[in-house]
Amino acid sequence: MKAPLFICLLLCFQQLAFFPIASTANQGDNLSKLIKSRKSENTPNAGTWVALEFANKEYSPVCVGNQSGSMDADKIDALPGQPEGVDFNQYAGYVTVDPAAGRALFYYFVESPKNSDTNPLVLWLNGGPGCSSLGYGAMEELGPFRVNSDGKTLFRNEYAWNDVANVIFLESPAGVGFSYSNTSSDYTTVGDNRTAEDSYTFLVNWLERFPQYKSRDFYIAGESYAGHYVPQLAYTILSKNKITNQTVINLKGIAIGNAWIDDNTSNQGIYDYYWTHALNSDETHAAITKNCDFVTGNLTRQCIQYLDQGDEEVGDIDIYNIYYPLCDPSAPKRPPVGSVNDFDPCSDNYVASYLNLPEVQKALHTINTTWSACSHVGWTDSPSTILPTIKQLIDSGLRLWVYSGDIDGRVPITSSRYSINTFKLPVETAWRPWYSNEEVGGYVVGYKGLVLTTVRGAGHTVPSYQPERALNMISSFLKGTLPPSS
């Protein structure tokens, strides 16, 4: 039962405790674990997203705390070890999303160096499920800084997305990164539904804290398991915009990268990608094709045996970028000041060291705790497909892009193509190359209601490996134009 408003306001200001869930897992481990759980004769949590069935249920406004003074309190003076010449505002802090449970989500927000008062607002979400948008998105991909190999200092990302947008990085759900709950059971009962609800509540409260962004064009972007998060949150926003008496969120579009959105097409895409990229034998591929029914998703024991054989044949490579070296912690460290054009495979280690420095946590206004990139949160609802939700978003007229780094073997371009092809959308702009810095940056095809684009030479975390191409791609998305044809 929802708390009365006066209790809600009171609880929003109470001091909250923290129950950390540290983990040595990374984003790859969490998604691999999820995919493995899908490969069974009785796949759990089958079906579509449950919120589709209850879109018209009676709605009570979310709890909105008094945000007066919170924006100024969240402003970051400077991050420890940041380079000179930082010319944009940074903010970080907590937004309470459930006062009764003591559940609060952590965010990091960077404004644009120029035109921050007119540039759009973008929310970035990493996947997992259970992985940090601060550790990955902000510190290894599209944020304004990367962490040097000393784990103590930062260097500038000259292709940061805050060049073209004001960007929020949200650690969600509670239990991920610095986000937490006073109610320990929240960590074992979380899933897609609560993640969408809490993220919506976060946004409503955040816009009260930063009221200058209330009417700003708003976009959501994310990768990997955010193929669930992003469409679900978008659908939640559109639904509640119609019935809420609170802030109407000016959602204009979503972009999802290397996104896990449908079990059947995604699994089929993985093993076809393995074979076409010389990671599987002809014999194994033929056996998978013969024994596995990816249309109904009815995977027999014999099918699963060949899928496992296909995984084993790949060997010990970075499946998230099949041509990139693995991290070797014993190898000589790279130069103390890194380059955004040369992604360091050991970046996870540097980020973890940096975000666990007491002075960094103080600057970020976090509770003193052990931060980890991914957390062991129990996932209770994870539908087998988000395709019906995406179809509803297409029908709503929302701008919708699916992008894919073309050397990711975990959620490869083949998976994205198979998923999109189920819609049978008319082609409005035929497949063609697009260009970045006088080179082919990728390929794009425009369907009626959806754009599919690749980013050439990028792995699962697209901006990590191709930051300039990723920035050009997202700039085109925000402008509502296809990437340049020359």
Side-chain angles (χ1 to χ4, degrees):
M1 187 172 73
K2 293 188 180 291
L5 182 58
F6 73 92
I7 296 178
C8 167
L9 294 174
L10 176 64
L11 289 170
C12 280
F13 281 94
Q14 289 185 346
Q15 179 64 37
L16 302 174
F18 179 60
F19 297 89
I21 307 179
S23 168
T24 56
N26 60 32
Q27 187 170 223
D29 295 334
N30 280 31
L31 183 58
S32 295
K33 181 180 178 181
L34 174 78
I35 293 172
K36 186 176 182 180
S37 74
R38 304 303 213 193
K39 293 189 296 186
S40 68
E41 292 182 274
N42 298 296
T43 303
N45 302 317
T48 57
W49 184 40
V50 68
L52 290 173
E53 302 173 19
F54 299 102
N56 297 317
K57 67 181 179 180
E58 184 178 351
Y59 171 70
S60 299
V62 300
C63 176
V64 179
N66 183 350
Q67 304 297 331
S68 177
S70 296
M71 182 183 75
D72 291 338
D74 287 353
K75 189 170 184 180
I76 297 171
D77 295 329
L79 288 176
Q82 74 178 30
E84 294 182 359
V86 173
D87 52 355
F88 55 87
N89 292 326
Q90 307 175 73
Y91 300 83
Y94 290 99
V95 171
T96 300
V97 295
D98 188 330
R103 200 159 63 243
L105 301 184
F106 178 81
Y107 79 92
Y108 172 59
F109 174 53
V110 289
E111 291 186 313
S112 299
K114 298 178 180 178
N115 304 317
S116 64
D117 56 344
T118 56
N119 277 349
L121 180 66
V122 171
L123 173 69
W124 173 264
L125 300 172
N126 275 86
C131 296
S132 166
S133 300
L134 174 66
Y136 288 104
M139 294 294 179
E140 294 189 29
E141 300 183 63
L142 57 129
F145 306 115
R146 300 272 180 94
V147 182
N148 285 311
S149 59
D150 60 7
K152 299 177 181 178
T153 58
L154 306 173
F155 65 97
R156 192 74 177 262
N157 173 12
E158 58 262 43
Y159 304 111
W161 288 13
N162 73 318
D163 281 355
V164 294
N166 304 285
V167 186
I168 310 169
F169 299 91
L170 176 64
E171 291 193 308
S172 178
V176 174
F178 291 120
S179 296
Y180 66 92
S181 176
N182 279 349
T183 305
S184 58
S185 61
D186 280 351
Y187 300 142
T188 57
T189 57
V190 70
D192 283 21
N193 276 303
R194 187 191 295 159
T195 300
E197 292 169 4
D198 281 0
S199 296
Y200 173 77
T201 302
F202 165 85
L203 283 172
V204 172
N205 279 272
W206 189 91
L207 288 169
E208 291 297 321
R209 188 172 298 188
F210 292 80
Q212 66 271 34
Y213 286 98
K214 278 189 175 183
S215 61
R216 197 72 59 89
D217 287 354
F218 177 64
Y219 298 88
I220 314 172
E223 70 193 16
S224 193
Y225 194 77
H228 281 222
Y229 294 162
V230 173
Q232 290 167 337
L233 177 56
Y235 180 86
T236 301
I237 290 170
L238 293 181
S239 299
K240 295 188 176 183
N241 273 352
K242 298 176 182 177
I243 57 178
T244 183
N245 56 4
Q246 295 174 147
T247 298
V248 172
I249 299 173
N250 192 22
L251 179 64
K252 295 295 185 181
I254 66 171
I256 49 177
N258 294 86
W260 189 269
I261 54 180
D262 178 77
D263 287 2
N264 295 343
T265 54
S266 294
N267 270 316
Q268 181 182 9
I270 288 172
Y271 295 96
D272 284 354
Y273 186 89
Y274 284 176
W275 182 63
T276 56
H277 287 72
L279 302 177
N280 270 182
S281 65
D282 289 350
E283 293 77 14
T284 296
H285 180 69
I288 290 172
T289 302
K290 178 181 178 180
N291 291 281
C292 295
D293 180 1
F294 292 113
V295 176
T296 66
N298 182 24
L299 306 183
T300 64
R301 290 185 180 180
Q302 192 170 26
C303 163
I304 295 169
Q305 174 186 338
Y306 288 117
L307 295 181
D308 290 342
Q309 183 172 309
D311 292 336
E312 291 172 4
E313 284 183 353
V314 171
D316 189 15
I317 66 171
D318 182 356
I319 198 62
Y320 292 83
N321 185 328
I322 62 173
Y323 302 128
Y324 218 68
L326 295 169
C327 170
D328 182 2
S330 64
K333 283 191 175 182
R334 296 195 178 194
V337 178
S339 167
V340 73
N341 292 308
D342 184 16
F343 183 69
D344 190 327
C346 293
S347 291
D348 283 9
N349 299 337
Y350 313 151
V351 171
S353 296
Y354 183 78
L355 291 178
N356 279 296
L357 294 173
E359 60 269 30
V360 171
Q361 294 189 4
K362 182 179 179 181
L364 290 170
H365 312 126
T366 73
I367 292 174
N368 185 17
T369 187
T370 301
W371 180 92
S372 60
C374 296
S375 302
H376 292 307
V377 288
W379 217 255
T380 59
D381 60 288
S382 175
S384 61
T385 184
I386 302 296
L387 290 174
T389 306
I390 293 176
K391 182 61 169 62
Q392 290 195 331
L393 296 177
I394 292 172
D395 293 342
S396 76
L398 202 68
R399 187 181 308 163
L400 203 160
W401 281 33
V402 177
Y403 67 91
S404 181
D406 61 8
I407 52 177
D408 172 28
R410 175 48 70 224
V411 191
I413 178 59
T414 42
S415 295
S416 297
R417 296 178 88 168
Y418 289 162
S419 295
I420 289 170
N421 288 345
T422 64
F423 295 132
K424 304 186 185 304
L425 299 171
V427 174
E428 294 184 334
T429 302
W431 179 277
R432 64 161 173 82
W434 62 268
Y435 288 81
S436 174
N437 196 21
E438 301 183 356
E439 292 185 338
V440 173
Y443 299 85
V444 64
V445 55
Y447 298 98
K448 183 177 176 58
L450 184 148
V451 169
L452 171 67
T453 183
T454 72
V455 180
R456 188 167 69 94
H460 190 69
T461 55
V462 168
S464 296
Y465 303 101
Q466 294 293 338
E468 184 176 10
R469 292 173 184 173
L471 178 60
N472 289 334
M473 180 271 298
I474 204 65
S475 298
S476 296
F477 164 72
L478 294 174
K479 293 174 184 174
T481 61
L482 297 184
S485 58
S486 62

